[in-house]
Amino acid sequence: MDNFEIFYELQIKKIKNEIKKSSERRKGPAEAIANSFENNKKYKAIVSEAGKQRQREYYNKNKDAIDKLIAEGIPVTEASVRHRQTELDMEKFYNENFQKIVKKVRGKAEDLINSAFSNTRLTLFNITGVSTEGLSPDNADRFVEKYEEVGFSQLYIKELPLCVDYLNKRLLNGITDLYLESTGADRRQFEWVFRAIAKQKLKDSQRVWRLLDEIKNDFTVTRLMEMLAANRFFADNYNEVRTNAEAFLRLQSDILDTIPDSYALLYPEARKMKRHFVLCIGPTNSGKTYRAVEDLKNADTGIYLAPLRLLAYEQFENLNFTRPCNLVTGEECIYIPCAQLQSSTIEMLDTGKHYDVAVIDEAQMVGDEFRGGAWTRAILGACADRIYLCAAPHAEHILIKLIEECGDTYEVHYTERRTALEFDDTFETFPYDVETGDALIVFTRRDVHAVAAELQHDGLRCSIIYGALPYDVRHEEARKFNSGETDVVVATDAIGMGLNMPIRRIVFIEDQKFDGREKRPLRSDEIQQIAGRAGRYGMFDTGYYSSLYSSDMIRDGIKDRVSDITNAIIEFPPSLLDLNVSLSKILEKWNSIEDKDGYTKANIKTEIKLCKVLERLTSDKYLIYELISIPIDERDPAVYALWEELSENVIRHAVVHLEDVEPAYSEKSQLSELETAYKICDLLFHFSTKFWKDGSEKEIIRIKTDISSITMRILGEQALTGKTCRSCGRRLSWDHRFDICDRCYNRRSAGRTGFRPAHRRRKEHRA
């Protein structure tokens, strides 16, 4: 059935419903059903040949708008068609005219830079200068002082976010004004619609960032210096700025000279070996890791490298059934006598130690912006005779490229999923359609708790898994689900990274996640990774996946071919620490140089920020680098404050007593408090093993075990608190957008005197 037939059927159905409702009101249901539509003029008109022809003409006239409405499941009415057609016309205008505005804004920005730096005293805009007053004898000293703070590479960019904001406003205002002028559209009626469309398209196209890069590329350091040399208001300070600029250019040259032509040469010990790689390529639940680990068990020496502590611990237990194996992660070490095998998180690989076999799991993470550098380092630098890379299909080409760059040999083995994976369309309502064996997927800690609380209220026993839980608690929650002690598991996408659980059906309760920058729809690779956890081999013949809302998006995500990873993430090379400038300048310059083909530099914005904090206390680059390499959650105020305090103590060689810095907690602590306490213990463990070396690690592990025990007890009570109205205390659904129920909101909006916040009612009750 083509779209016109669908549209025509929908129009007939709409008229039938209107006639039926009207008849029911006037004559009652029985008589209305008995009375057919043959005598209704409106119905007769649309089903006639002439009526169908009129509908076809209307469809052809508004085809694009109607097709979009049908695809999105939006009712097709004259108003919705008119609105969607207006949006399409606006998009067409945007696409046809936007380049004019880009050219105009770029020209204006470059004029400002030329004017400000050459020979005038014009006020500098955010995009054009370090000082907002302009270059003049009065502020030249402050200009130089500010330059010392931000570095010459940022000479004409005061603050990058403000600069982007300035360009974005120029582009948005320019295209909106052009639309209103060209079309004569009513400003009050159409401006907000067009601005919304243009704003989204600007965001999607990344046009602002590309425009900024084009402007920055036009104004090199050399060109800026030539312009400043001609500025008569800047003569007294020019020599100082020129000296600093030359130092900046020397630093750039030194970095480029220090970095080898191939990043593989950063690992000379591995280059002396003839390594052989075995690529195990396949989807989730295809057994690709199993073969690699079986070979590891038979090796004289070997290491398993995992993306998560939980997976490292799982293989640690698995390997110890066969042979002694150590567990070494950043937050815990368990050494077994006579062990020649090791299970670790990927960051803990010692590239100077030789192994017979190394297994690198989830190697598609090589393209991850934040952690991918650890996988690239392991592939380029692991000193092992035979290295297994277990990865998803979209990572195959980039992995082969890295291996060939190293000059090593490889073979590829493809694995197929061992159980069928099918879409289940029976899940329509939550929580009524939840069944035993389901894994429900949301993407925030708060939503995990809210969903689990609703299910527990309905009598279902729940395991919960999310990243902030202590890893041994996550392991215990998985064990309870595996053994049948709990009915369902509620989890974030942390469940998708290799956890083996007897999940019959994965249900996407949410289809969007916050990725650190914005809330966005799930990518196809994320959908496949998570949904693939359903149907564990040996327990189910078929795994199922479903969605509460966007079934089509999830189905398409499973079928889509995921785009190949084109770039591997490369970490900051420690060899650059030998350059004779401050670490923050080295990091900033490393961050700004052009990427090599096939590589993207790791995101080190957090490291630069932490580095500048510590440079106020010491100039020891090697010590600062060790301190900023400690993984912390800088968004957690308690953890960040403690990191700063402990780092200052290390720099000042002050003695730290564990009892003075250990976290406060008790049996009555909330889950969020226990999670923070566990993060603090992780931080203390890093400092103890790296700097203190006073044997306090055992006490830290004891505290962590105690925190985990309390957490397990709380979760074992199956009494999580869901969302409640802050006014009346009424239970709210997990996806309720506000912290107040509709009834209380309506009462408050109406100005009724009965509205009193819960804390006031409690005080009145006690009185």
Side-chain angles (χ1 to χ4, degrees):
M1 185 183 291
D2 62 17
N3 273 356
F4 168 69
E5 294 297 334
I6 296 172
F7 163 70
Y8 186 55
E9 288 295 326
L10 287 172
Q11 297 304 99
I12 293 174
K13 185 177 179 181
K14 183 175 73 173
I15 289 174
K16 280 185 174 182
N17 287 336
E18 289 174 0
I19 295 168
K20 187 175 179 182
K21 286 179 182 178
S22 175
S23 300
E24 286 175 350
R25 283 196 300 270
R26 288 186 286 108
K27 303 178 182 179
E31 193 174 348
I33 293 169
N35 180 23
S36 189
F37 304 98
E38 284 82 359
N39 296 325
N40 186 281
K41 292 180 181 179
K42 201 171 181 181
Y43 177 78
K44 287 166 68 176
I46 196 171
V47 297
S48 66
E49 285 299 320
K52 187 171 184 178
Q53 184 59 31
R54 283 194 296 272
Q55 292 295 321
R56 185 177 290 279
E57 290 170 1
Y58 179 76
Y59 172 80
N60 290 336
K61 182 180 176 182
N62 302 282
K63 183 179 185 303
D64 292 339
I66 293 172
D67 287 350
K68 271 208 155 193
L69 291 171
I70 291 172
E72 294 167 8
I74 299 173
V76 181
T77 63
E78 287 189 14
S80 65
V81 170
R82 188 166 57 249
H83 180 73
R84 187 50 51 92
Q85 190 61 53
T86 301
E87 289 183 347
L88 291 172
D89 291 342
M90 288 178 173
E91 286 188 20
K92 184 179 178 183
F93 181 91
Y94 176 96
N95 294 332
E96 291 175 351
N97 295 277
F98 187 63
Q99 287 306 319
K100 298 178 187 176
I101 301 300
V102 171
K103 188 175 180 181
K104 186 176 178 181
V105 170
R106 179 174 175 177
K108 178 66 175 173
E110 293 187 347
D111 288 346
L112 287 169
I113 296 173
N114 280 314
S115 299
F117 278 81
S118 296
N119 53 16
T120 73
R121 304 173 76 171
L122 290 176
T123 298
L124 301 183
F125 285 80
N126 291 325
I127 190 172
T128 60
V130 177
S131 168
T132 55
E133 294 85 1
L135 300 179
S136 68
D138 298 331
N139 67 11
D141 290 335
R142 268 196 294 164
F143 179 88
V144 174
E145 186 180 316
K146 185 69 178 175
Y147 149 69
E148 291 290 352
E149 290 180 27
V150 300
F152 204 86
S153 62
Q154 298 295 311
L155 188 61
Y156 57 97
I157 306 294
K158 183 184 178 186
E159 289 183 38
L160 195 57
L162 291 178
C163 172
V164 171
D165 188 52
Y166 167 82
L167 283 176
N168 191 58
K169 285 179 180 175
R170 286 273 176 159
L171 293 171
L172 193 56
N173 291 342
I175 191 66
T176 304
D177 290 343
L178 184 63
Y179 172 76
L180 296 172
E181 290 168 12
S182 302
T183 61
D186 181 74
R187 181 173 287 273
R188 286 181 300 177
Q189 185 178 1
F190 291 102
E191 181 179 15
W192 71 272
V193 181
F194 186 80
R195 283 183 73 85
I197 292 171
K199 193 172 184 179
Q200 187 59 46
K201 289 181 77 67
L202 270 172
K203 183 178 179 182
D204 293 343
S205 68
Q206 296 282 300
R207 180 66 252 196
V208 178
W209 291 95
R210 285 190 282 131
L211 178 58
L212 179 63
D213 287 338
E214 290 166 12
I215 294 170
K216 288 173 70 176
N217 290 336
D218 284 349
F219 289 90
T220 62
V221 173
T222 304
R223 183 177 173 188
L224 286 173
M225 290 307 302
E226 291 171 354
M227 293 163 64
L228 285 175
N231 189 331
R232 60 192 177 89
F233 298 111
F234 207 67
D236 294 341
N237 304 88
Y238 174 72
N239 288 334
E240 184 179 353
V241 173
R242 184 182 64 183
T243 301
N244 290 329
E246 289 170 352
F248 168 83
L249 291 172
R250 280 198 303 273
L251 173 60
Q252 176 174 296
S253 176
D254 290 344
I255 287 178
L256 293 175
D257 290 343
T258 304
I259 299 171
D261 293 335
S262 168
Y263 285 131
L265 298 177
L266 290 170
Y267 305 96
E269 294 303 314
R271 298 293 73 77
K272 295 174 185 176
M273 299 178 62
K274 283 296 180 183
R275 305 181 303 169
H276 182 71
F277 284 81
V278 181
L279 277 69
C280 300
I281 303 296
T284 52
N285 261 333
S286 62
K288 54 184 181 291
T289 306
Y290 175 80
R291 173 186 173 176
V293 172
E294 287 301 302
D295 193 14
L296 177 63
K297 289 177 180 178
N298 297 319
D300 290 338
T301 60
I303 186 168
Y304 169 80
L305 298 168
L308 301 171
R309 278 184 286 171
L310 186 56
L311 280 184
Y313 188 81
E314 189 177 86
Q315 289 299 343
F316 164 73
E317 288 189 321
N318 174 35
L319 290 167
N320 270 294
F321 282 121
T322 308
R323 291 180 52 194
C325 174
N326 295 326
L327 175 70
V328 180
T329 71
E331 294 77 17
E332 183 178 14
C333 299
I334 301 176
Y335 293 104
I336 307 298
C338 304
Q340 294 296 311
L341 301 181
Q342 179 175 312
S343 182
S344 293
T345 43
I346 187 81
E347 286 83 1
M348 298 305 294
L349 171 68
D350 180 356
T351 55
K353 187 174 180 180
H354 176 267
Y355 302 96
D356 292 321
V357 173
V359 177
I360 302 175
D361 209 354
E362 305 293 349
Q364 71 274 2
M365 289 286 287
V366 73
D368 183 77
E369 177 185 4
F370 296 98
R371 294 186 63 208
W375 274 263
T376 306
R377 172 176 169 270
I379 294 166
L380 299 181
C383 289
D385 298 319
R386 189 163 61 258
I387 302 175
Y388 285 86
L389 301 181
C390 306
H394 62 282
E396 179 182 352
H397 295 303
I398 189 66
L399 296 178
I400 290 175
K401 181 180 181 300
L402 294 176
I403 295 167
E404 290 177 343
E405 187 173 338
C406 294
D408 295 318
T409 58
Y410 67 90
E411 59 187 272
V412 183
H413 297 273
Y414 298 100
T415 57
E416 297 294 333
R417 184 178 169 85
R418 294 182 291 181
T419 56
L421 186 62
E422 297 179 4
F423 182 77
D424 180 2
D425 58 4
T426 62
F427 195 98
E428 296 179 349
T429 55
F430 175 87
Y432 309 108
D433 291 333
V434 176
E435 299 175 356
T436 299
D438 282 351
L440 309 176
I441 307 300
V442 290
F443 295 98
T444 66
R445 171 191 179 278
R446 185 182 181 189
D447 286 341
V448 168
H449 282 218
V451 169
E454 277 198 49
L455 294 173
Q456 288 171 356
H457 185 265
D458 287 351
L460 283 172
R461 298 165 300 168
C462 299
S463 288
I464 64 172
I465 294 174
Y466 54 91
L469 277 178
Y471 84 96
D472 46 350
V473 176
R474 279 180 275 166
H475 187 268
E476 173 63 12
E477 290 294 288
R479 186 201 64 76
K480 289 194 291 187
F481 182 75
N482 291 347
S483 64
E485 293 177 36
T486 54
D487 304 309
V488 298
V489 58
V490 183
T492 63
D493 49 352
I495 203 173
M497 199 64 73
L499 282 176
N500 290 315
M501 301 172 70
I503 298 168
R504 191 188 73 86
R505 178 173 65 174
I506 291 280
V507 181
F508 291 88
I509 302 294
E510 288 185 308
D511 53 29
Q512 294 188 329
K513 66 177 285 188
F514 183 73
D515 62 4
R517 294 191 184 90
E518 61 181 351
K519 195 166 186 178
R520 58 163 176 79
L522 293 174
R523 300 192 308 264
S524 296
D525 61 310
E526 293 168 332
I527 293 171
Q528 293 173 13
Q529 183 82 18
I530 297 168
R533 289 292 129 204
R536 184 175 177 181
Y537 178 69
M539 302 190 70
F540 302 99
D541 295 327
T542 304
Y544 297 93
Y545 65 96
S546 190
S547 173
L548 182 58
Y549 296 118
S550 302
S551 298
D552 289 343
M553 187 192 90
I554 299 299
R555 265 193 296 232
D556 291 344
I558 292 290
K559 297 174 186 174
D560 284 348
R561 183 187 180 280
V562 179
S563 300
D564 288 339
I565 299 171
T566 55
N567 284 6
I569 303 299
I570 189 72
E571 294 177 328
F572 171 78
S575 57
L576 297 182
L577 293 175
D578 295 331
L579 296 176
N580 191 27
V581 289
S582 68
L583 179 56
S584 62
K585 287 185 178 179
I586 296 173
L587 291 173
E588 286 177 333
K589 188 56 203 166
W590 160 257
N591 216 27
S592 67
I593 64 173
E594 188 176 349
D595 288 323
K596 291 181 182 290
D597 181 46
Y599 292 94
T600 300
K601 292 186 294 299
N603 187 320
I604 57 170
K605 289 179 182 177
T606 299
E607 285 81 355
I608 293 173
K609 172 187 167 185
L610 299 178
C611 178
K612 289 182 176 180
V613 170
L614 298 183
E615 282 181 343
R616 299 170 192 161
L617 304 172
T618 181
S619 59
D620 186 336
K621 290 180 290 187
Y622 301 95
L623 178 57
I624 292 173
Y625 185 69
E626 276 197 88
L627 289 167
I628 66 174
S629 297
I630 294 174
I632 65 165
D633 182 1
E634 74 278 3
R635 297 167 299 179
D636 190 316
V639 175
Y640 177 77
L642 183 61
W643 172 85
E644 206 168 349
E645 178 188 338
L646 295 176
S647 297
E648 184 173 351
N649 287 331
V650 169
I651 290 168
R652 300 191 188 287
H653 304 289
V655 177
V656 177
H657 299 289
L658 183 60
E659 58 269 21
D660 295 333
V661 291
E662 65 184 38
Y665 66 95
S666 71
E667 290 283 339
K668 297 181 180 179
S669 294
Q670 300 291 319
L671 275 177
S672 58
E673 295 169 340
L674 294 169
E675 289 162 12
T676 297
Y678 200 89
K679 288 181 193 174
I680 288 173
C681 287
D682 283 345
L683 181 63
L684 294 174
F685 188 87
H686 276 287
F687 273 90
S688 178
T689 53
K690 273 194 170 188
F691 301 107
W692 304 340
K693 298 182 179 176
D694 58 358
S696 57
E697 301 96 301
K698 291 183 179 179
E699 178 61 16
I700 295 169
I701 290 174
R702 186 200 65 76
I703 295 171
K704 290 171 70 173
T705 303
D706 193 32
I707 293 170
S708 295
S709 298
I710 298 172
T711 306
M712 291 175 193
R713 177 186 58 75
I714 293 172
L715 296 180
E717 291 171 356
Q718 295 289 311
L720 291 173
T721 303
K723 292 183 180 178
T724 56
C725 173
R726 64 178 171 82
S727 174
C728 67
R730 184 190 303 270
R731 288 179 62 247
L732 302 174
S733 65
W734 74 271
D735 57 349
H736 193 80
R737 292 178 58 196
F738 308 104
D739 59 357
I740 187 171
C741 68
D742 293 340
R743 190 173 74 171
C744 289
Y745 175 78
N746 292 334
R747 287 172 59 194
R748 185 171 63 174
S749 299
R752 296 180 181 176
T753 56
F755 176 82
R756 299 191 310 285
H759 69 278
R760 289 188 181 178
R761 293 200 310 278
R762 286 194 294 270
K763 285 182 179 179
E764 292 166 6
H765 178 73
R766 285 197 295 269

